[in-house]
Amino acid sequence: MIKNDYSTAADILTSSRKTIALTGAGISVESGIPPFRGKGGMWEIYDPFEFAHIDSYLRQPEKVWQVFLSELVNTLNQAKPNNGHKGLADLEAMGRLSTVVTQNVDGLHQAAGNSDVIEFHGTFAWHQCMSCQNRLETHELDLSALPPRCGCGGIFRPECVFFGEMIPPDALERSNQLAIQCDAILVVGTSASVQPAAMIPGIAKSVGAKVIEINLEETPLTHRITDVFLGGSAGEVVPRLVSELKVRG
Ligand code: NAD
Ligand code: ZN
């Protein structure tokens, strides 16, 4: 593993025929969305298993909304893509990045302009009625009484993956396939501790792909499989990597 070597990272991206990215909550921190773990993370305030587990939602949806989801709706409504998201969109426009696999549910990669985004943990942009499967965009929900209810009386749930739930099979299958096909993977702002998403870089590495990791701090991947570690915030590091590539033409 080498650290903060932008030239080597750019070499890897230049010679790669297919590059994918795996992103986590860290890339959206500079958009004002707190991550789960680490400093300022939501888990300093909330117990994840109390509020992000499907059993809790089914048992006490009102409480999960009051303590956790109402605030998440407000935060996501205000969030805009930052320079980290925009940098990944630039890489796609330059033909250097094909797909973003994201663990985030905030829709900011699509807003930044990436055209192929796999939402590994679903999305918070939509809700579905647990009784009749009617779907509604999150901004259309009536939140005057919690939990939000459908006309049929059923309770809406976000279309994101709670702890205790399966990854959408299409997302899992395609991500694994891309991991096997790619020559390089950018791993941005993820603590690499939520499975099975955290396995994607390892799958890529096992078939010979180079791993470029961008994070404020080292992760369990750093000394195990990372080839180049670029330390710093995604909003600073990704644009710097883009500039390094642009200089090469
Ligand atoms: P995580 O919260 O476990 O870890 C965040 C990682 O980002 C840490 O390694 C941290 O060092 C790093 N980081 C923090 N700020 C950064 C920055 N500015 N630039 C670069 N790196 C930075 O995140 P995770 O691994 O994605 O796992 C959390 C799970 O929670 C995800 O699976 C996701 O579904 C969900 N989540 C999503 C959002 C969102 O949609 N934005 C927000 C919080 C949690
Ligand atoms: Zn319904």
Side-chain angles (χ1 to χ4, degrees):
M1 188 267 298
I2 48 172
K3 267 199 170 170
N4 299 328
D5 184 341
Y6 283 78
S7 175
T8 303
D11 284 345
I12 290 171
L13 295 182
T14 309
S15 58
S16 167
R17 279 163 306 162
K18 189 177 188 71
T19 299
I20 64 171
L22 172 69
T23 66
I27 197 170
S28 294
V29 166
E30 288 156 284
S31 294
I33 307 171
F36 272 5
R37 292 174 196 76
K39 213 164 161 273
M42 293 184 212
W43 291 2
E44 283 178 352
I45 313 168
Y46 309 116
D47 174 354
F49 286 103
E50 194 172 353
F51 294 107
H53 198 285
I54 185 61
D55 293 346
S56 311
Y57 193 68
L58 296 176
R59 215 169 34 235
Q60 42 183 1
E62 181 183 356
K63 188 171 174 201
V64 173
W65 267 98
Q66 279 167 351
V67 179
F68 180 43
L69 296 182
S70 302
E71 196 181 316
L72 191 60
V73 170
N74 287 335
T75 308
L76 295 188
N77 274 343
Q78 290 162 30
K80 299 209 168 31
N82 66 55
N83 288 337
H85 302 103
K86 289 178 194 162
L88 292 187
D90 288 342
L91 287 179
E92 179 183 320
M94 293 158 71
R96 297 283 173 213
L97 177 66
S98 66
T99 304
V100 178
V101 180
T102 187
Q103 299 167 82
N104 299 339
V105 296
D106 54 34
L108 293 179
H109 288 299
Q110 295 92 324
N114 280 104
S115 63
D116 189 22
V117 180
I118 298 177
E119 294 179 308
F120 205 79
H121 291 157
T123 176
F124 201 75
W126 285 85
H127 275 68
Q128 187 170 50
C129 169
M130 292 195 284
S131 300
C132 75
Q133 275 70 52
N134 175 33
R135 297 177 73 222
L136 217 55
E137 282 195 65
T138 299
H139 66 83
E140 293 174 325
L141 288 179
D142 176 5
L143 299 177
S144 57
L146 296 175
R149 283 182 189 272
C150 170
C152 82
I155 293 172
F156 277 111
R157 60 155 295 168
E159 290 191 353
C160 49
V161 177
F162 283 93
F163 282 102
E165 292 193 297
M166 279 174 50
I167 303 301
D170 290 356
L172 184 62
E173 193 179 320
R174 226 188 129 223
S175 303
N176 284 341
Q177 211 140 46
L178 288 167
I180 289 166
Q181 292 165 351
C182 72
D183 301 312
I185 180 166
L186 284 162
V187 182
V188 190
T190 175
S191 62
S193 52
V194 178
Q195 297 294 356
M199 290 196 303
I200 294 170
I203 296 171
K205 179 80 175 185
S206 72
V207 292
K210 298 283 187 198
V211 179
I212 300 171
E213 193 179 13
I214 297 171
N215 202 308
L216 289 177
E217 50 195 47
E218 294 181 358
T219 74
L221 302 182
T222 311
H223 291 280
R224 213 159 44 80
I225 63 166
T226 296
D227 292 289
V228 183
F229 182 88
L230 303 177
S233 82
E236 292 165 19
V237 174
V238 181
R240 203 173 145 190
L241 186 55
V242 171
S243 304
E244 183 79 28
L245 278 161
K246 280 192 175 148
V247 170
R248 295 161 183 235

